[in-house]
Amino acid sequence: EAQVTQNPRYLITVTGKKLTVTCSQNMNHEYMSWYRQDPGLGLRQIYYSMNVEVTDKGDVPEGYKVSRKEKRNFPLILESPSPNQTSLYFCASSSQPGETQYFGPGTRLLVL
Amino acid sequence: AQSVSQHNHHVILSEAASLELGCNYSYGGTVNLFWYVQYPGQHLQLLLKYFSGDPLVKGIKGFEAEFIKSKFSFNLRKPSVQWSDTAEYFCAVNARYNQGGKLIFGQGTELSVKP
């Protein structure tokens, strides 16, 4: 089954404790992206990747890092999480930029 | 800056009522347009999309949308809603040739359908 998976689905952490949210897709997509969803703001892009070793900032990249060492994986790293990063995070992938993006199930993060 | 505006924050309808959700975007160039749906506790799923051709597009579950280029609009419609349509609906736009392939989302419209 074609899908985007994320782990963990739920995470509670404390300020400053580094964490990683994994994202994996099995559709051989070149393009992958991370969004955060906040009430009243819709989804905003954090980072994206055009292909392996090619990543770039989206609209709200501060406090986040990403890497793309393999085509299928695109982890999101919070080096020093802060409470304003409490949000719902979605990973997405598409065959090419601009094509239909397929979303993962989301990771709900609470930073205390 | 590009933006997407959804006119209604929360819509409440009775079953069998007709639905129209507004979406306007600000970008003068060529765009790809999407409507996504997010059922409670679930991830975003594609309802329908428009890339080119017939501006009236049909999606899953009886939804359709019309692209009106002159109005920069892409409104979502359904003739008769069901309780199972209760969800949040997001309009999204990708400016073609946009570096980064970014989807710009509207704020979302929460639809509640009363049985």
Coordinates of all heavy atoms in Angstrom, one line a residue, chain B residues 6-80:
Chain B
Q6 N -10.0 31.3 2.8 CA -11.2 30.5 2.8 C -12.2 31.4 3.6 O -12.0 31.8 4.8 CB -11.0 29.2 3.5 CG -10.1 28.3 2.7 CD -10.0 26.9 3.3 OE1 -8.8 26.4 3.5 NE2 -11.0 26.2 3.5
H7 N -13.4 31.6 3.1 CA -14.3 32.6 3.6 C -15.0 32.2 4.9 O -15.3 33.0 5.7 CB -15.4 32.9 2.6 CG -14.8 33.2 1.2 ND1 -13.8 34.1 1.0 CD2 -15.1 32.6 0.0 CE1 -13.5 34.1 -0.3 NE2 -14.2 33.2 -0.9
N8 N -15.2 30.9 5.0 CA -16.0 30.5 6.2 C -15.1 29.7 7.1 O -14.4 28.8 6.7 CB -17.1 29.6 5.7 CG -17.9 30.2 4.6 OD1 -17.7 29.9 3.5 ND2 -18.8 31.1 5.0
H9 N -15.1 30.0 8.4 CA -14.3 29.3 9.4 C -15.1 28.1 9.8 O -14.5 27.0 10.0 CB -14.0 30.2 10.6 CG -13.3 29.5 11.7 ND1 -12.0 29.1 11.5 CD2 -13.6 29.2 12.9 CE1 -11.6 28.5 12.6 NE2 -12.5 28.6 13.5
H10 N -16.4 28.2 10.1 CA -17.1 27.1 10.5 C -18.5 27.1 9.9 O -19.2 28.1 9.9 CB -17.3 27.1 12.1 CG -17.8 25.9 12.7 ND1 -18.1 25.7 14.0 CD2 -18.2 24.7 12.1 CE1 -18.6 24.5 14.3 NE2 -18.6 23.9 13.1
V11 N -18.9 26.0 9.3 CA -20.2 25.9 8.6 C -21.0 24.8 9.2 O -20.4 23.7 9.4 CB -20.0 25.6 7.1 CG1 -21.3 25.4 6.4 CG2 -19.3 26.8 6.4
I12 N -22.2 25.0 9.5 CA -23.1 24.0 10.1 C -24.3 23.8 9.2 O -25.0 24.8 8.8 CB -23.6 24.4 11.5 CG1 -22.4 24.7 12.4 CG2 -24.5 23.4 12.1 CD1 -22.8 25.3 13.8
L13 N -24.5 22.6 8.8 CA -25.6 22.2 7.8 C -26.3 21.0 8.3 O -25.8 20.2 9.1 CB -25.0 21.9 6.4 CG -24.3 23.1 5.7 CD1 -23.7 22.5 4.4 CD2 -25.3 24.2 5.4
S14 N -27.5 20.9 7.9 CA -28.3 19.7 8.1 C -28.1 18.7 7.0 O -27.7 19.2 5.8 CB -29.8 20.0 8.2 OG -30.0 20.8 9.3
E15 N -28.2 17.5 7.2 CA -28.1 16.5 6.1 C -29.0 16.8 5.0 O -30.1 17.3 5.2 CB -28.4 15.1 6.7 CG -27.2 14.4 7.3 CD -27.5 12.9 7.5 OE1 -28.6 12.5 8.0 OE2 -26.5 12.1 7.3
A16 N -28.5 16.6 3.8 CA -29.2 16.8 2.5 C -29.1 18.3 2.1 O -29.5 18.6 0.9 CB -30.7 16.4 2.5
A17 N -28.6 19.1 2.9 CA -28.4 20.5 2.5 C -27.3 20.6 1.4 O -26.4 19.7 1.4 CB -28.1 21.4 3.6
S18 N -27.3 21.7 0.6 CA -26.2 21.9 -0.3 C -25.1 22.6 0.3 O -25.3 23.4 1.2 CB -26.7 22.6 -1.6 OG -27.1 23.9 -1.2
L19 N -23.9 22.4 -0.2 CA -22.7 23.0 0.4 C -21.9 23.7 -0.7 O -21.8 23.3 -1.8 CB -21.8 21.8 0.9 CG -20.3 22.2 1.3 CD1 -20.4 23.0 2.6 CD2 -19.5 21.0 1.5
E20 N -21.4 24.9 -0.3 CA -20.5 25.6 -1.1 C -19.5 26.3 -0.1 O -19.8 27.1 0.7 CB -21.1 26.6 -2.0 CG -20.0 27.4 -2.8 CD -20.6 28.0 -4.1 OE1 -21.8 28.0 -4.3 OE2 -19.8 28.6 -4.9
L21 N -18.2 25.9 -0.3 CA -17.1 26.5 0.5 C -16.3 27.4 -0.4 O -15.8 26.9 -1.5 CB -16.3 25.4 1.1 CG -17.0 24.5 2.1 CD1 -16.0 23.5 2.7 CD2 -17.7 25.2 3.2
G22 N -16.1 28.6 0.0 CA -15.3 29.5 -0.9 C -13.8 29.5 -0.7 O -13.3 29.2 0.4
C23 N -13.1 29.7 -1.7 CA -11.6 29.7 -1.7 C -11.2 30.7 -2.7 O -11.5 30.6 -3.9 CB -11.0 28.4 -2.0 SG -9.2 28.4 -2.2
N24 N -10.4 31.7 -2.3 CA -9.8 32.7 -3.2 C -8.3 32.7 -2.9 O -7.8 32.5 -1.8 CB -10.3 34.1 -3.0 CG -11.7 34.2 -3.5 OD1 -12.7 33.9 -2.9 ND2 -11.8 34.6 -4.8
Y25 N -7.5 32.9 -4.0 CA -6.1 32.9 -3.8 C -5.5 34.2 -4.5 O -6.2 34.8 -5.3 CB -5.4 31.7 -4.5 CG -5.6 31.6 -5.9 CD1 -4.7 32.1 -6.8 CD2 -6.8 31.0 -6.5 CE1 -4.9 32.0 -8.2 CE2 -7.0 30.9 -7.8 CZ -6.1 31.5 -8.7 OH -6.3 31.4 -10.0
S26 N -4.4 34.6 -4.1 CA -3.7 35.8 -4.6 C -2.4 35.3 -5.3 O -1.4 35.1 -4.6 CB -3.4 36.8 -3.5 OG -2.5 36.3 -2.6
Y27 N -2.5 35.2 -6.6 CA -1.3 34.9 -7.4 C -1.6 35.0 -8.8 O -2.6 34.5 -9.3 CB -0.7 33.5 -7.1 CG 0.5 33.2 -7.9 CD1 1.7 33.8 -7.6 CD2 0.4 32.3 -9.0 CE1 2.8 33.5 -8.4 CE2 1.6 32.0 -9.7 CZ 2.8 32.6 -9.4 OH 3.9 32.3 -10.2
G28 N -0.9 35.8 -9.5 CA -1.3 36.2 -10.9 C -0.9 35.2 -11.9 O -1.3 35.2 -13.1
G29 N 0.0 34.2 -11.6 CA 0.5 33.3 -12.6 C -0.3 32.0 -12.6 O -1.4 31.9 -12.0
T30 N 0.2 31.0 -13.3 CA -0.5 29.7 -13.4 C -0.4 28.9 -12.1 O 0.7 28.9 -11.5 CB 0.2 28.9 -14.6 OG1 0.2 29.7 -15.7 CG2 -0.6 27.6 -14.8
V31 N -1.5 28.3 -11.8 CA -1.5 27.6 -10.5 C -2.1 26.2 -10.6 O -2.8 25.9 -11.6 CB -2.4 28.4 -9.5 CG1 -1.8 29.7 -9.1 CG2 -3.8 28.6 -10.0
N32 N -1.7 25.4 -9.7 CA -2.4 24.1 -9.4 C -3.2 24.3 -8.2 O -2.7 24.9 -7.2 CB -1.3 23.0 -9.2 CG -0.5 22.7 -10.5 OD1 -0.9 23.0 -11.6 ND2 0.7 22.1 -10.3
L33 N -4.4 23.7 -8.2 CA -5.3 24.0 -7.1 C -5.8 22.7 -6.5 O -6.0 21.7 -7.3 CB -6.5 24.8 -7.6 CG -6.2 26.1 -8.2 CD1 -7.3 26.6 -9.1 CD2 -6.0 27.1 -7.1
F34 N -6.0 22.6 -5.2 CA -6.3 21.4 -4.5 C -7.4 21.7 -3.4 O -7.4 22.8 -2.8 CB -5.1 20.8 -3.8 CG -3.9 20.6 -4.7 CD1 -3.0 21.6 -5.0 CD2 -3.7 19.3 -5.2 CE1 -1.9 21.4 -5.8 CE2 -2.6 19.1 -6.0 CZ -1.7 20.1 -6.3
W35 N -8.2 20.7 -3.2 CA -9.0 20.7 -1.9 C -8.6 19.4 -1.2 O -8.7 18.3 -1.8 CB -10.5 20.7 -2.2 CG -11.1 22.1 -2.4 CD1 -11.3 22.7 -3.5 CD2 -11.5 23.0 -1.3 NE1 -11.8 24.0 -3.3 CE2 -11.9 24.1 -1.9 CE3 -11.5 22.9 0.1 CZ2 -12.4 25.2 -1.2 CZ3 -12.0 23.9 0.8 CH2 -12.4 25.1 0.1
Y36 N -8.3 19.6 0.0 CA -8.0 18.4 0.9 C -9.1 18.4 2.0 O -9.6 19.4 2.4 CB -6.6 18.5 1.6 CG -5.4 18.2 0.7 CD1 -4.9 19.2 -0.1 CD2 -4.9 16.9 0.7 CE1 -3.8 18.9 -0.9 CE2 -3.8 16.6 -0.1 CZ -3.3 17.6 -0.9 OH -2.2 17.3 -1.7
V37 N -9.3 17.2 2.5 CA -10.2 17.0 3.6 C -9.5 16.3 4.8 O -8.7 15.4 4.5 CB -11.5 16.2 3.2 CG1 -11.1 14.8 2.7 CG2 -12.5 16.1 4.3
Q38 N -9.8 16.7 6.0 CA -9.2 16.1 7.2 C -10.4 15.6 8.1 O -11.0 16.5 8.7 CB -8.3 17.1 7.9 CG -7.5 16.5 9.0 CD -6.6 17.5 9.6 OE1 -6.8 18.7 9.6 NE2 -5.5 17.0 10.2
Y39 N -10.7 14.4 8.1 CA -11.7 13.8 9.0 C -11.1 13.8 10.4 O -9.9 13.7 10.6 CB -12.1 12.4 8.6 CG -12.8 12.4 7.2 CD1 -12.1 12.0 6.1 CD2 -14.1 13.0 7.0 CE1 -12.7 12.0 4.8 CE2 -14.7 13.0 5.8 CZ -13.9 12.5 4.7 OH -14.5 12.6 3.4
P40 N -12.0 13.9 11.4 CA -11.5 14.0 12.8 C -10.5 12.9 13.1 O -10.7 11.7 12.9 CB -12.8 13.8 13.6 CG -13.9 14.3 12.7 CD -13.4 13.9 11.3
G41 N -9.3 13.3 13.6 CA -8.2 12.4 14.0 C -7.5 11.8 12.9 O -6.7 10.9 13.1
Q42 N -7.7 12.2 11.6 CA -7.1 11.5 10.5 C -6.2 12.5 9.8 O -6.2 13.7 10.0 CB -8.1 11.0 9.6 CG -8.9 9.8 10.2 CD -9.8 9.1 9.2 OE1 -9.5 9.1 8.0 NE2 -10.9 8.6 9.6
H43 N -5.4 12.0 8.8 CA -4.5 12.8 8.0 C -5.3 13.5 6.9 O -6.4 13.1 6.6 CB -3.3 12.1 7.6 CG -3.7 10.9 6.7 ND1 -3.6 10.9 5.3 CD2 -4.1 9.6 7.0 CE1 -3.9 9.8 4.8 NE2 -4.2 9.0 5.8
L44 N -4.6 14.4 6.2 CA -5.2 15.0 5.0 C -5.3 14.1 3.9 O -4.4 13.3 3.6 CB -4.4 16.2 4.6 CG -4.6 17.5 5.4 CD1 -3.8 17.5 6.7 CD2 -4.2 18.7 4.6
Q45 N -6.5 14.1 3.2 CA -6.7 13.3 2.0 C -7.1 14.2 0.9 O -7.9 15.2 1.1 CB -7.8 12.3 2.3 CG -7.6 11.4 3.4 CD -8.8 10.5 3.7 OE1 -9.5 10.1 2.8 NE2 -9.1 10.4 5.0
L46 N -6.7 13.9 -0.3 CA -7.0 14.7 -1.5 C -8.5 14.5 -1.9 O -8.9 13.3 -2.0 CB -6.1 14.4 -2.6 CG -6.4 15.1 -3.9 CD1 -5.9 16.6 -3.7 CD2 -5.7 14.5 -5.1
L47 N -9.3 15.6 -2.0 CA -10.6 15.5 -2.5 C -10.7 15.6 -4.0 O -11.3 14.9 -4.7 CB -11.5 16.6 -1.9 CG -12.3 16.4 -0.7 CD1 -13.1 17.7 -0.3 CD2 -13.2 15.2 -0.8
L48 N -10.0 16.6 -4.5 CA -9.9 16.9 -5.9 C -8.8 17.9 -6.2 O -8.3 18.5 -5.3 CB -11.3 17.4 -6.4 CG -12.0 18.5 -5.7 CD1 -11.4 19.9 -6.0 CD2 -13.5 18.6 -6.0
K49 N -8.5 18.0 -7.5 CA -7.4 18.9 -7.9 C -7.7 19.4 -9.3 O -8.5 18.8 -10.1 CB -6.1 18.2 -7.9 CG -6.0 17.1 -8.9 CD -4.7 16.3 -8.7 CE -4.6 15.1 -9.7 NZ -3.4 14.3 -9.5
Y50 N -7.1 20.6 -9.6 CA -7.2 21.2 -10.9 C -5.8 21.6 -11.3 O -5.2 22.4 -10.6 CB -8.2 22.4 -10.9 CG -8.1 23.1 -12.2 CD1 -8.8 22.6 -13.3 CD2 -7.3 24.2 -12.4 CE1 -8.8 23.3 -14.6 CE2 -7.2 24.9 -13.6 CZ -8.0 24.4 -14.7 OH -7.9 25.0 -15.9
F51 N -5.4 21.1 -12.5 CA -4.2 21.5 -13.1 C -4.4 22.3 -14.4 O -3.7 23.3 -14.6 CB -3.2 20.3 -13.4 CG -2.6 19.7 -12.1 CD1 -3.0 20.1 -10.8 CD2 -1.7 18.7 -12.2 CE1 -2.4 19.5 -9.7 CE2 -1.1 18.1 -11.1 CZ -1.4 18.5 -9.9
S52 N -5.3 21.8 -15.2 CA -5.6 22.4 -16.5 C -6.8 21.8 -17.1 O -7.3 20.8 -16.5 CB -4.4 22.3 -17.5 OG -4.2 20.9 -17.8
G53 N -7.3 22.4 -18.2 CA -8.5 21.8 -18.8 C -9.8 22.2 -18.3 O -9.9 23.4 -17.9
D54 N -10.8 21.4 -18.3 CA -12.1 21.7 -17.8 C -12.1 22.3 -16.4 O -11.6 21.7 -15.5 CB -13.0 20.5 -17.8 CG -14.5 20.8 -17.6 OD1 -14.8 21.9 -17.1 OD2 -15.3 19.9 -17.9
P55 N -12.6 23.6 -16.3 CA -12.5 24.2 -15.0 C -13.4 23.6 -13.9 O -13.3 24.0 -12.8 CB -12.8 25.7 -15.3 CG -13.7 25.6 -16.5 CD -13.1 24.5 -17.3
L56 N -14.3 22.8 -14.4 CA -15.2 22.1 -13.4 C -14.7 20.7 -13.2 O -14.7 19.9 -14.1 CB -16.6 22.1 -13.9 CG -17.7 21.4 -13.0 CD1 -17.8 22.3 -11.7 CD2 -19.0 21.4 -13.7
V57 N -14.2 20.5 -12.0 CA -13.5 19.2 -11.7 C -14.4 18.4 -10.7 O -15.0 19.0 -9.7 CB -12.1 19.4 -11.2 CG1 -11.2 19.9 -12.2 CG2 -12.1 20.3 -9.9
K58 N -14.4 17.1 -10.9 CA -15.1 16.3 -9.9 C -14.1 15.5 -9.1 O -13.1 15.0 -9.6 CB -16.1 15.4 -10.7 CG -17.1 16.1 -11.5 CD -18.2 15.2 -12.0 CE -19.2 16.0 -12.8 NZ -19.9 17.0 -12.0
G59 N -14.5 15.3 -7.8 CA -13.6 14.6 -6.9 C -14.3 13.4 -6.3 O -15.3 12.9 -6.8
I60 N -13.8 12.9 -5.2 CA -14.4 11.8 -4.6 C -15.6 12.2 -3.8 O -15.8 13.4 -3.4 CB -13.3 11.1 -3.7 CG1 -12.8 12.0 -2.6 CG2 -12.2 10.6 -4.5 CD1 -12.0 11.4 -1.5
K61 N -16.4 11.2 -3.4 CA -17.5 11.4 -2.5 C -18.5 12.5 -3.0 O -19.2 13.1 -2.2 CB -17.0 11.7 -1.1 CG -16.1 10.6 -0.6 CD -15.7 10.8 0.9 CE -14.7 9.7 1.3 NZ -14.4 9.7 2.7
G62 N -18.6 12.7 -4.3 CA -19.6 13.6 -4.8 C -19.3 15.1 -4.8 O -20.1 15.9 -5.1
F63 N -18.0 15.4 -4.4 CA -17.6 16.7 -4.4 C -17.2 17.2 -5.8 O -16.7 16.4 -6.6 CB -16.4 16.9 -3.4 CG -16.8 16.9 -2.0 CD1 -16.8 15.7 -1.3 CD2 -17.2 18.0 -1.3 CE1 -17.2 15.6 0.1 CE2 -17.6 18.0 0.0 CZ -17.6 16.8 0.7
E64 N -17.3 18.5 -6.0 CA -16.8 19.1 -7.2 C -16.4 20.5 -6.9 O -16.7 21.1 -5.9 CB -17.9 19.1 -8.3 CG -19.1 20.0 -8.0 CD -20.1 20.1 -9.1 OE1 -20.2 19.0 -9.9 OE2 -20.8 21.1 -9.3
A65 N -15.6 21.1 -7.8 CA -15.1 22.4 -7.6 C -15.0 23.1 -8.9 O -14.7 22.4 -10.0 CB -13.7 22.4 -6.9
E66 N -15.1 24.4 -8.9 CA -15.0 25.2 -10.2 C -14.0 26.2 -10.1 O -13.9 27.0 -9.1 CB -16.4 25.8 -10.5 CG -16.4 26.6 -11.8 CD -17.7 27.1 -12.2 OE1 -18.6 27.2 -11.4 OE2 -17.8 27.5 -13.4
F67 N -13.1 26.2 -11.0 CA -12.0 27.2 -11.1 C -12.5 28.3 -12.0 O -12.8 28.1 -13.1 CB -10.7 26.5 -11.7 CG -9.6 27.5 -12.1 CD1 -9.2 28.4 -11.1 CD2 -9.0 27.4 -13.3 CE1 -8.2 29.3 -11.5 CE2 -8.0 28.3 -13.6 CZ -7.6 29.2 -12.7
I68 N -12.5 29.5 -11.4 CA -12.9 30.7 -12.1 C -11.6 31.6 -12.1 O -11.4 32.3 -11.1 CB -14.1 31.4 -11.5 CG1 -15.3 30.5 -11.5 CG2 -14.4 32.7 -12.4 CD1 -16.5 31.1 -10.9
K69 N -10.9 31.6 -13.2 CA -9.6 32.3 -13.3 C -9.8 33.8 -13.0 O -9.0 34.4 -12.3 CB -9.0 32.0 -14.6 CG -7.5 32.5 -14.7 CD -6.9 32.1 -16.0 CE -5.5 32.6 -16.1 NZ -4.8 32.2 -17.4
S70 N -10.8 34.4 -13.6 CA -11.0 35.8 -13.5 C -11.3 36.3 -12.0 O -11.0 37.4 -11.7 CB -12.1 36.3 -14.4 OG -13.4 35.7 -14.0
K71 N -11.8 35.4 -11.3 CA -12.1 35.7 -9.9 C -11.0 35.1 -8.9 O -11.2 35.2 -7.7 CB -13.5 35.1 -9.5 CG -14.6 35.8 -10.2 CD -16.0 35.3 -9.7 CE -17.1 36.0 -10.5 NZ -18.4 35.6 -10.0
F72 N -10.0 34.4 -9.4 CA -9.0 33.8 -8.6 C -9.7 32.9 -7.5 O -9.3 32.9 -6.4 CB -8.1 34.8 -7.9 CG -7.4 35.7 -8.8 CD1 -7.9 36.9 -9.3 CD2 -6.1 35.3 -9.3 CE1 -7.2 37.7 -10.2 CE2 -5.4 36.1 -10.2 CZ -6.0 37.3 -10.7
S73 N -10.7 32.2 -8.0 CA -11.5 31.4 -7.0 C -11.5 29.9 -7.4 O -11.4 29.5 -8.6 CB -12.9 31.9 -6.9 OG -13.6 31.6 -8.1
F74 N -11.7 29.1 -6.4 CA -11.8 27.6 -6.6 C -12.7 27.1 -5.5 O -12.3 26.5 -4.5 CB -10.4 27.0 -6.5 CG -10.3 25.5 -6.9 CD1 -10.8 25.1 -8.1 CD2 -9.7 24.6 -6.1 CE1 -10.7 23.8 -8.5 CE2 -9.7 23.3 -6.4 CZ -10.1 22.9 -7.7
N75 N -14.0 27.3 -5.7 CA -15.0 27.0 -4.7 C -15.4 25.5 -4.7 O -15.5 24.9 -5.8 CB -16.2 27.8 -4.8 CG -16.0 29.3 -4.5 OD1 -14.9 29.7 -4.0 ND2 -16.9 30.2 -4.8
L76 N -15.6 24.9 -3.6 CA -15.9 23.5 -3.4 C -17.4 23.4 -3.3 O -18.0 24.2 -2.5 CB -15.2 22.9 -2.2 CG -15.5 21.5 -1.9 CD1 -14.8 20.6 -3.0 CD2 -15.0 21.1 -0.5
R77 N -18.0 22.4 -3.9 CA -19.5 22.3 -3.8 C -19.9 20.8 -3.6 O -19.1 19.9 -4.1 CB -20.2 22.8 -5.1 CG -20.0 24.3 -5.3 CD -20.9 24.8 -6.3 NE -20.7 24.3 -7.7 CZ -20.2 25.0 -8.7 NH1 -19.9 26.3 -8.5 NH2 -20.0 24.4 -9.9
K78 N -21.0 20.6 -3.0 CA -21.6 19.3 -3.0 C -23.1 19.5 -2.9 O -23.6 20.2 -2.0 CB -21.1 18.4 -1.8 CG -21.6 17.0 -1.8 CD -21.0 16.2 -0.7 CE -21.5 14.7 -0.8 NZ -20.8 13.8 0.1
P79 N -23.9 18.8 -3.7 CA -25.3 19.1 -3.8 C -26.1 18.7 -2.5 O -27.1 19.3 -2.1 CB -25.8 18.3 -5.0 CG -24.6 17.9 -5.7 CD -23.5 17.9 -4.8
S80 N -25.6 17.6 -1.9 CA -26.4 17.1 -0.7 C -25.4 16.4 0.3 O -24.8 15.4 0.0 CB -27.4 16.0 -1.2 OG -28.0 15.4 -0.1

